[in-house]
Amino acid sequence: MSQFETRAIHTAQHPDRNNGAVIPPIYMTSTHRQNAVGDLAEGYEYNRGGNPTRDALQEALASLEGGRFGFSFSSGLAAEDAVIRATMTAGDHAILANDLYGGSFRMFNRVHKPAGIDFDIVDLNDEDALRAAFKPGKTKLVWIETPSNPMMTIFDINKVSRIAHEHGALAVVDNTFATPYLQRPLELGADIVVHSTTKYLGGHSDILGGAVILNDGEVADKIRFIQFAVGAVSSAFDAWLTHRSLKTLALRMRAHCANAQVVAEFFDGHPKIEQVYYPGLPAHPGHELAKKQMHGFGGMVSVRLKDGAAAKRLAESTKLFTLAESLGGVESLVNHPAEMTHASAANSPIEVGPEIVRFSVGVEHIDDLLADLEQALSRV
Ligand SMILES: *Cc1c(COP(=O)(O)O)cnc(C)c1O
């Protein structure tokens, strides 16, 4: 099979059969004409079940993650919800990492827990704690986010997946921060990959989307059914934009990684920064593991300031880094997790301290990014 960059550009991107257009059109349609009752053109019927533009994206997503099946959803959380519904029912139990996206925690805690799906939050780097958390016959999923949001913790995908399998559970990896360019969880032994394609895969802060990629045909059938029966699908236009963005994923990720490394090193020596959380720094506790399971350290950098007031002052003082939720776009963003992305985790085991500021380092010129951070820190 061809290399990542080549697949990102060519998978399911065939010139139009009729007029040779190099880029396939966006199929803005909700339904397809049937030749006779039940005689479908290329299997297409009503577009909640399948749309050619969405199918092309799904094939590309599967190819990039090295999986057999890909599914595209209207948001990352819709994709995660489909995984939970496909693998768990009332009475089942999940194990979640002790640092993860606040919205994922909120969905487990306030949507699925009231419906009877229990969960525990565990430090997945603590093998004894992880082994002790399994409830025989009940634990169906271990939910791994690595690097984690926002503390940039690195978890061992291969090891956690093996322990999950020993206990009859599936390992799910939220690969949003790393992207398949930097990390391919299925190749490391995980069972299911989920994404918020809103972030790096979309890459331009102009779409919402999610994805599920996996190898198991039986679970894939369930996900396909939920996608169809619940209907949280991506629109043809969003699917088309996301597919277009995949073509530059490798280029963008190299630039994000290079800029983030310099930003992390800049913060590392700065007197107003108490601690930097970036796996590309040799002092990061997950540095060696990240070198092993990733092909680069990503574009996300978090820092700790002396208190919440200083953190908010930094987040509100940047000019080029835009104060906004979300991440992974070409433009740099800054976020104060305790009151923004992780507000729903307040008073929970995954609460994020008010001293933390998270940066999504974009692909602008590094000199401009550093100048902006310098001027912002001078106001702290
Ligand atoms: C944003 C995000 C999600 C949720 O995705 P949406 O597209 O916002 O629904 C899930 N996981 C991670 C790591 C995220 O950053």
Side-chain angles (χ1 to χ4, degrees), residues 27-30 32 44 46-47 49-56 235-236 239:
Y27 286 93
M28 295 295 280
T29 189
S30 59
H32 290 252
Y44 287 108
Y46 185 61
N47 277 226
N51 167 283
T53 309
R54 190 170 89 227
D55 285 357
S235 72

Side-chain angles (χ1 to χ4, degrees), residues 45-374:
E45 193 171 7
Y46 185 61
N47 277 226
R48 187 170 6 82
N51 167 283
T53 309
R54 190 170 89 227
D55 285 357
L57 170 63
Q58 294 185 153
E59 194 181 328
L61 288 166
S63 167
L64 295 186
E65 282 288 0
R68 286 174 64 207
F69 306 101
F71 298 95
S72 172
F73 288 86
S74 55
S75 72
L77 286 176
E80 295 182 14
D81 180 60
V83 169
I84 296 167
R85 289 175 194 274
T87 55
M88 305 181 83
T89 54
D92 286 342
H93 172 256
I95 296 172
L96 314 186
N98 60 345
D99 186 41
L100 81 163
Y101 175 64
S104 304
F105 167 75
R106 180 178 56 211
M107 184 166 59
F108 271 100
N109 197 38
R110 292 183 57 189
V111 177
H112 292 292
K113 194 170 175 181
I117 292 174
D118 202 7
F119 66 90
D120 280 301
I121 290 179
V122 173
D123 177 358
L124 301 179
N125 283 326
D126 180 341
E127 183 173 340
D128 294 337
L130 172 59
R131 287 183 179 279
F134 285 92
K135 297 188 192 300
K138 295 199 163 165
T139 304
K140 299 288 163 65
L141 290 185
V142 179
W143 196 276
I144 310 162
E145 204 181 289
T146 179
S148 69
N149 183 357
M151 301 310 293
M152 307 302 296
T153 306
I154 305 295
F155 296 109
D156 190 330
I157 294 173
N158 182 260
K159 185 170 166 187
V160 174
S161 299
R162 271 191 286 113
I163 294 172
H165 296 162
E166 281 172 32
H167 294 81
L170 299 174
V172 180
V173 175
D174 183 335
N175 205 27
T176 299
F177 269 35
T179 84
Y181 180 64
L182 299 180
Q183 173 172 279
R184 286 182 290 283
L186 299 178
E187 293 171 4
L188 295 165
D191 303 284
I192 301 175
V193 171
V194 296
H195 277 283
S196 170
T197 57
T198 312
K199 315 295 168 51
Y200 286 105
L201 300 189
H204 297 73
S205 305
D206 53 10
I207 52 133
L208 279 168
V212 179
I213 301 102
L214 73 168
N215 283 318
D216 185 289
E218 228 168 279
V219 180
D221 285 345
K222 290 184 184 165
I223 303 256
R224 187 179 297 106
F225 175 75
I226 289 163
Q227 188 191 39
F228 167 70
V230 177
V233 295
S234 38
S235 72
F237 188 49
D238 283 355
W240 186 86
L241 278 174
T242 306
H243 200 156
R244 188 183 73 152
S245 295
L246 293 183
K247 298 176 187 182
T248 56
L249 179 65
L251 298 173
R252 287 185 285 110
M253 290 316 293
R254 281 182 218 139
H256 283 295
C257 290
N259 277 355
Q261 183 75 35
V262 177
V263 164
E265 287 168 8
F266 162 80
F267 281 137
D268 201 24
H270 200 285
K272 288 182 180 162
I273 300 291
E274 305 277 318
Q275 195 171 346
V276 186
Y277 306 89
Y278 185 67
L281 295 178
H284 186 285
H287 180 66
E288 289 307 318
L289 179 55
K291 276 208 300 209
K292 214 171 72 184
Q293 73 181 12
M294 300 176 75
H295 311 286
F297 304 108
M300 300 299 297
V301 179
S302 293
V303 296
R304 182 161 53 82
L305 284 95
K306 70 173 189 301
D307 56 30
K312 272 172 87 165
R313 188 116 181 101
L314 174 60
E316 291 171 351
S317 298
T318 55
K319 296 195 171 101
L320 193 51
F321 282 83
T322 302
L323 179 63
E325 300 205 3
S326 201
L327 60 107
V330 290
E331 57 285 300
S332 294
L333 301 180
V334 59
N335 160 48
H336 185 245
E339 289 183 45
M340 293 170 66
T341 50
H342 288 66
S344 62
N347 304 312
S348 83
I350 64 150
E351 177 167 20
V352 179
E355 312 83 14
I356 302 293
V357 180
R358 189 192 75 184
F359 295 87
S360 174
V361 181
V363 301
E364 299 94 338
H365 197 286
I366 187 63
D367 293 350
D368 295 325
L369 295 177
L370 293 180
D372 187 36
L373 296 173
E374 187 78 71

